[in-house]
Amino acid sequence: MGSSTKLLAAALLPALLMMMAFHAPTMAAASNSNLFRDYIGAIYNGVKFTDVPIDPKVRFDFILAFVIDYTTATEPPSPTNGQFNIFWQNTVLTSSAVASIKRSNPNVRVAVSLGGATVNDRPVFFNITSVDSWVRNAVTSLTAIVTEYNLDGIDIDYEQFQADPETFADCIGRLVTTLKSNGVIKLASIAPYDNADVQRHYQALWRKYGAVIDYINFQFYAYSATTTVAQYVNFFDNQIVNYPGGNILASFTTAPTTASVPINTSLTACQTLQSQGKLYGIFIWAADHSRSQGFKYDTQAQELLANAGTY
């Protein structure tokens, strides 16, 4: 390809991506699939990739939790304007461990989640100096981390914000678009939950950049512990409206809590969604907690998804 052609392609790419993003809400709703995703590494309890059972009949994504654009060199920890640092247990979940689990399981991909709720028990905020500087720093720092660990994608899990929804949308949308167009990542997901401020930010992102977001890891377990199967399915249908055309994943948590939707309620709801042709996948928070249960529920979720076949 000649240099003039490259310049023309570079000039046209942003416009084409914006057109794709603008048309994202008209995409057809997702159907049953066999995608299973498991967050790992946030609790620092030594859980390994190889501890987790992996069904060869599912598409399996590990999601490292977390990288955060904060530094602990200050007290309290302070934001670094897109310069991401590793906060997962990378002494256990090493780059060689990533390479090994992917080599021995061709159905496995590994992504990393950005943000999270806290760092050193202090709230993590999406906080920027400017859109351009945040995107520039984020592209540089994440490219280095993704390359070092041979990762396949990123997940967006900011839950508190010191920027308005449109600013958040522009920062995250430009980040994902750039990383994908540079060939750094193949996939991207977002992880909202049903909080008014959270939804405002993620729906703004979806409206503008939905075409570059592959999956929605919606935190359905954040609903009340009294949630019924019928209510869970209704909550899921609400998110189909909020994120039209999105590949929305059902979810549950294996953390020891009495404040979240019970696991068995979630799994039964997943069966109902699958019977309705709407279960694109399931994700779990988190493998760290599942280990004490012998990964019983991770296995059950994968068995359910394996019935969907390969898509």
Side-chain angles (χ1 to χ4, degrees):
M1 183 183 292
S3 59
S4 60
T5 310
K6 288 180 183 176
L7 288 169
L8 178 61
L12 289 175
L13 181 60
L16 289 170
L17 288 169
M18 285 298 295
M19 289 173 63
M20 289 167 63
F22 180 78
H23 289 294
T26 65
M27 294 185 294
S31 57
N32 285 345
S33 176
N34 63 346
L35 178 63
F36 178 76
R37 317 191 85 201
D38 213 344
Y39 287 84
I40 189 169
I43 311 302
Y44 278 64
N45 66 351
V47 67
K48 305 180 186 70
F49 295 126
T50 50
D51 292 337
V52 185
I54 298 170
D55 190 320
K57 297 186 293 297
V58 304
R59 291 179 294 153
F60 193 114
D61 290 350
F62 283 109
I63 305 175
L64 296 163
F66 292 94
V67 290
I68 311 174
D69 54 334
Y70 265 67
T71 178
T72 55
T74 60
E75 179 55 41
S78 56
T80 54
N81 192 42
Q83 296 178 11
F84 282 88
N85 296 303
I86 291 172
F87 284 86
W88 81 79
Q89 194 174 15
N90 64 331
T91 55
V92 175
L93 303 169
T94 61
S95 58
S96 60
V98 171
S100 178
I101 199 69
K102 290 170 70 170
R103 188 167 54 246
S104 56
N105 297 274
N107 59 322
V108 165
R109 301 177 298 188
V110 183
V112 64
S113 190
L114 282 57
T118 62
V119 56
N120 288 6
D121 297 321
R122 305 292 186 96
V124 165
F125 291 93
F126 180 77
N127 179 297
I128 72 165
T129 301
S130 70
V131 173
D132 287 345
S133 63
W134 188 93
V135 172
R136 183 171 60 249
N137 291 339
V139 167
T140 299
S141 60
L142 288 171
T143 296
I145 293 169
V146 168
T147 302
E148 179 182 355
Y149 285 85
N150 188 26
L151 305 179
D152 300 286
I154 61 172
D155 173 66
I156 311 301
D157 188 30
Y158 286 101
E159 302 186 3
Q160 291 129 159
F161 307 90
Q162 291 176 336
D164 64 82
E166 292 305 318
T167 299
F168 175 72
D170 285 338
C171 286
I172 300 300
R174 284 175 55 183
L175 170 65
V176 173
T177 299
T178 302
L179 292 177
K180 281 194 168 186
S181 63
N182 288 351
V184 175
I185 61 170
K186 306 179 194 71
L187 59 101
S189 57
I190 58 176
Y193 61 98
D194 196 14
N195 166 278
D197 193 45
V198 169
Q199 291 280 58
R200 277 193 295 272
H201 283 77
Y202 282 95
Q203 287 176 46
L205 171 61
W206 182 256
R207 282 191 298 271
K208 196 166 184 180
Y209 288 95
V212 295
I213 298 166
D214 301 282
Y215 314 118
I216 299 166
N217 289 3
F218 199 87
Q219 300 180 45
F220 289 103
Y221 48 84
Y223 287 104
S224 164
T226 62
T227 299
T228 65
V229 170
Q231 287 172 328
Y232 190 113
V233 172
N234 184 60
F235 294 148
F236 189 94
D237 289 340
N238 290 341
Q239 303 319 315
I240 292 175
V241 175
N242 287 333
Y243 300 92
N247 295 322
I248 300 170
L249 276 67
S251 59
F252 59 87
T253 178
T254 54
T257 174
T258 57
S260 301
V261 180
I263 296 172
N264 288 330
T265 299
S266 301
L267 281 168
T268 303
C270 287
Q271 291 175 321
T272 300
L273 290 167
Q274 191 178 64
S275 73
Q276 296 174 352
K278 294 185 290 196
L279 185 64
Y280 189 85
I282 299 171
F283 80 85
I284 293 178
W285 175 267
D288 314 44
H289 299 298
S290 298
R291 189 173 67 167
S292 65
Q293 304 149 355
F295 299 99
K296 169 185 174 182
Y297 299 108
D298 305 56
T299 300
Q300 288 182 19
Q302 290 181 71
E303 287 173 350
L304 177 62
L305 291 167
N307 294 330
T310 303
Y311 292 82

